[in-house]
Amino acid sequence: MARILILASRSPEREGLTLFMEMVGHQCAQADSIPSASAILSGASYDLVLADAAIAGDSPDQIARLLQGGSPNIRVMVLAEEDPASNGKDEVITSPLAAAPSQPGDYPAVRQGEAFLMLLPERDSLKLLDDLPQMPGLLNKLGLLHQSQQKYLVAEQLYQRALGLAGKNASDRDRNMASILMNLASLYQEQDRLAEAEPLYRRSLELVEKALGANHPKVARRLRRLAELYRAQGRESEAV
């Protein structure tokens, strides 16, 4: 499979991402900062950097730009709590808005250098869920990773587990739940399960407005998603 550098500042999520990618069959190394990742990349060849967006303030493009300054050919995949704004550059694969190319079949052939796009078939991934660290942030991001590859069954179970765990953690409960609800709603919307998506978007919107105020960009993001959902249902006046 692929050689992957896991880049994350938070040790539990870094270890969890490494564990999962090694369980899938990839060879991994770890870095806890962009400078340390750049130093590793300068001395060894990797197929991909799998980065936690929090390493640079939820800016996928900034992470890619800094890493590619010393390693122009490295591919970067950024996992955020929810889809952040990105300029859509090919080298930045940000889940779930810029989905990785879908691959038919259980173990499809992939082009050289793209082995990192492979995850296990869904029935095998499902068997691994109980062996993963049960942390809402990690499960949420792994849900995004699976959603980006249209492995919807696994993504839904990961989001549901993350949601249940987030509800038990009082310190970050609202922030975590707002992000997971948003991602689960987007999963349902991708599958045209619009009636299921709407209440999740609304609940996520309520949590973000309460925590961040009505003028925060995350509020705007949720309003936009609701408008898209209403248009898909023919509810044009509500969308407006």
Side-chain angles (χ1 to χ4, degrees), residues 80-82 140 144 159 174-184 204 207-208 218 222:
E81 290 183 351
E82 57 191 62
N140 186 29
L144 287 169
Y159 290 145
D174 287 353
R175 180 185 64 82
N176 284 333
M177 290 187 71
S179 172
I180 300 162
L181 287 165
M182 172 79 161
N183 293 334
L184 183 56
S204 181
L207 290 171
V208 168
K218 288 189 175 183
R222 284 156 174 78

Side-chain angles (χ1 to χ4, degrees), residues 48-190:
L48 171 76
V49 177
L50 182 61
D52 182 349
I55 202 83
D58 289 337
S59 174
D61 296 329
Q62 180 184 1
I63 294 170
R65 184 168 59 253
L66 292 171
L67 292 173
Q68 290 167 341
S71 304
N73 297 322
I74 192 67
R75 298 290 298 275
V76 179
M77 185 172 194
V78 180
L79 294 178
E81 290 183 351
E82 57 191 62
D83 48 82
S86 174
N87 66 12
K89 292 164 60 179
D90 289 342
E91 63 268 26
V92 182
I93 306 171
T94 306
S95 307
L97 289 186
S102 59
Q103 304 285 351
D106 281 347
Y107 291 96
V110 293
R111 289 177 291 178
Q112 184 176 4
E114 290 190 350
F116 62 84
L117 296 178
M118 286 278 291
L119 296 175
L120 291 175
E122 286 196 297
R123 63 173 179 270
D124 295 327
S125 289
L126 286 169
K127 296 176 184 177
L128 300 179
L129 296 189
D130 290 334
D131 296 324
L132 294 172
Q134 300 299 294
M135 300 180 295
L138 172 65
L139 297 178
N140 186 29
K141 290 171 184 174
L142 288 175
L144 287 169
L145 181 61
H146 282 81
Q147 183 178 346
S148 77
Q149 298 192 21
Q150 299 178 343
K151 297 185 183 297
Y152 296 133
L153 181 61
V154 181
E156 182 173 0
Q157 291 209 21
L158 285 162
Y159 290 145
Q160 293 285 10
R161 286 190 182 209
L163 199 58
L165 291 167
K168 300 174 183 178
N169 185 350
S171 61
D172 293 325
R173 181 174 55 204
D174 287 353
R175 180 185 64 82
N176 284 333
M177 290 187 71
S179 172
I180 300 162
L181 287 165
M182 172 79 161
N183 293 334
L184 183 56
S186 75
L187 177 74
Y188 289 157
Q189 188 168 359
E190 276 188 45

Side-chain angles (χ1 to χ4, degrees), residues 32-61:
D32 61 3
S33 68
I34 290 177
S36 64
S38 297
I40 292 171
L41 292 172
S42 68
S45 175
Y46 287 86
D47 300 300
L48 171 76
V49 177
L50 182 61
D52 182 349
I55 202 83
D58 289 337
S59 174
D61 296 329

